[in-house]
Amino acid sequence: MLAWTPVIEPSATDLQRLREEDDRRPFVLVQLLRFVEGGREAYVKYSAAALPLLRPLGAQLLYAGQRIEPLGDPSQAWDAVVVVRYPNRSAYLRMLEDPAFTAIAPQRRAALRDAVYMIMDDWPGR
């Protein structure tokens, strides 16, 4: 059985792969988040500072919210979900390199215990 290693942010290898595989098409980034004790409040503050960085990139926050209660196995529950549509992968990468983002990134890291990042494409015909 594989051991789960918590992830707080994408690795340099993951980001390099995104850069190399940029098809210049829009995508949605789904983030599943687990907070440290007191992390929700810290993450909300980080989010308020990060939101203005999305607009100049052509990115849009589609959803951000917290879990009320899990259905099914509570050990599989996440604390929050954030969904952002980016115009392309390079826009996302530019945001990560923006000095304004790097200044607030430590707040994000300190708030999280675990995270999953899923890059989603629209289904054909949508």
Side-chain angles (χ1 to χ4, degrees):
M1 185 162 129
L2 294 176
W4 174 256
T5 303
V7 173
I8 301 302
E9 53 195 22
S11 71
T13 302
D14 293 333
L15 296 176
Q16 183 59 35
R17 190 178 75 244
L18 276 179
R19 186 172 279 109
E20 291 168 359
E21 296 174 1
D22 189 2
D23 59 8
R24 308 296 299 160
R25 293 180 45 223
F27 73 96
V28 171
L29 180 64
V30 176
Q31 301 168 68
L32 305 177
L33 309 173
R34 286 193 182 113
F35 300 121
V36 297
E37 187 70 33
R40 187 188 83 72
E41 294 78 16
Y43 193 89
V44 168
K45 287 179 184 177
Y46 152 80
S47 292
L51 189 58
L53 303 177
L54 297 177
R55 292 182 194 111
L57 297 170
Q60 176 187 14
L61 175 66
L62 300 178
Y63 179 80
Q66 66 188 22
R67 171 181 47 88
I68 297 170
E69 63 182 79
L71 296 176
D73 182 356
S75 71
Q76 299 299 313
W78 292 87
D79 295 329
V81 175
V82 176
V83 181
V84 179
R85 178 178 285 280
Y86 289 91
N88 51 53
R89 293 176 186 207
S90 64
Y92 173 66
L93 294 166
R94 279 195 316 273
M95 182 195 70
L96 296 180
E97 296 167 352
D98 184 323
F101 180 81
T102 58
I104 62 172
Q107 296 172 11
R108 182 182 193 287
R109 285 190 291 275
L112 294 174
R113 179 171 50 100
D114 193 5
V116 170
Y117 305 91
M118 296 183 290
I119 294 179
M120 312 294 288
D121 273 332
D122 291 337
W123 280 352
R126 182 173 182 280

